[in-house]
Amino acid sequence: MPALLPTNFKGRIIWLGVNANREDTLCNVPVSEMELTLAGCSGESRAGLTRVSCGRVQSQYPRGTQIRNTRQLAIVSAEELMIIAKNMGVPAIDPAWISASVVLEGIPDFTMIPPASRLQSTSGATLTVDMENRPCVLPAPVIDAYFPGKGKLFKPAAKNLRGVTAWVERAGILRVGDEIILHIPDQPVWPHLEQARQQCLKGTSKNPPKSGLTG
């Protein structure tokens, strides 16, 4: 019995973006195709088999620890970007402003797809979903350059809509226009999940974690 099941949920890549140096700018540059290795997108600032840990995993490791890079790509939904823009009261959010790698259309409630899902492209290139990519405040100055005073609204407006992070399971090329098929784990939801979450929330409410880098 396969542990991963292909679904009838299909998306299409409508935008791809790369960032050569995030120290220079958060914004990504749009491209028509993206060459993926097992280390991520060739020449991209988030590429690498490992990365330095940030605030997102500070409950597991001291900041700066070398860990496996499961955040090689940031994937967002075109439909959810429209909702974020509406929540912020702006016409649109350019995916380049929030350092997105891939924009898909066609998969509903994209940010909530299960961790460990696979996104498999026409070429066979396959991405493994790590988890939800929670929004932070770093895109605010970029957004303010286009919509003054609106940048601070991004973080609350993008809650549960910011997409997911992923790593490359099978190398290949992603192209704008490629179809993407969602594969999900054949595993029921852990029955104690909500209890564990509530315990974690009680434990962290006294010392809320600091935000790390976006995307």
Side-chain angles (χ1 to χ4, degrees), residues 5-11 106-107 180-183:
L5 304 177
T7 73
N8 291 326
F9 288 94
K10 299 178 181 179
I107 299 179
I180 297 289
I181 298 176
L182 173 66
H183 299 244

Side-chain angles (χ1 to χ4, degrees), residues 11-168:
R12 189 165 301 278
I13 297 175
I14 64 168
W15 191 92
L16 294 167
V18 298
N19 184 307
N21 189 341
R22 299 184 78 209
E23 295 298 323
D24 292 339
T25 177
L26 183 72
C27 291
N28 281 17
V29 176
V31 294
S32 59
E33 64 178 46
M34 181 182 288
E35 181 182 353
L36 299 179
T37 71
L38 296 183
C41 175
S42 300
E44 222 275 339
S45 59
R46 279 177 293 215
L49 292 175
T50 64
R51 72 178 182 93
V52 175
S53 66
C54 63
R56 293 179 179 85
V57 289
Q58 67 180 19
S59 295
Q60 291 73 46
Y61 318 104
R63 282 176 181 262
T65 302
Q66 202 73 17
I67 60 174
R68 176 68 65 183
N69 186 7
T70 59
R71 298 177 59 83
Q72 294 170 349
L73 299 162
I75 311 172
V76 298
S77 154
E79 293 87 351
E80 290 179 338
L81 284 180
M82 292 174 62
I83 297 173
I84 294 171
K86 183 178 179 181
N87 289 345
M88 294 175 63
V90 299
I93 293 293
D94 190 323
W97 302 344
I98 60 171
S99 203
S101 309
V102 182
V103 181
L104 299 179
E105 65 176 7
I107 299 179
D109 297 312
F110 178 72
T111 297
M112 297 293 103
I113 62 175
S117 294
R118 268 56 165 187
L119 297 166
Q120 192 165 64
S121 75
T122 309
S123 69
T126 305
L127 307 177
T128 298
V129 173
D130 178 38
M131 63 177 68
E132 176 187 0
N133 191 14
R134 294 186 177 182
C136 73
V137 299
L138 291 182
V142 181
I143 296 170
D144 278 338
Y146 296 89
F147 302 116
K150 294 290 188 176
K152 64 185 178 182
L153 302 178
F154 173 75
K155 184 177 179 180
K159 183 178 180 180
N160 299 139
L161 298 168
R162 178 65 175 79
V164 300
T165 54
W167 51 274
V168 179

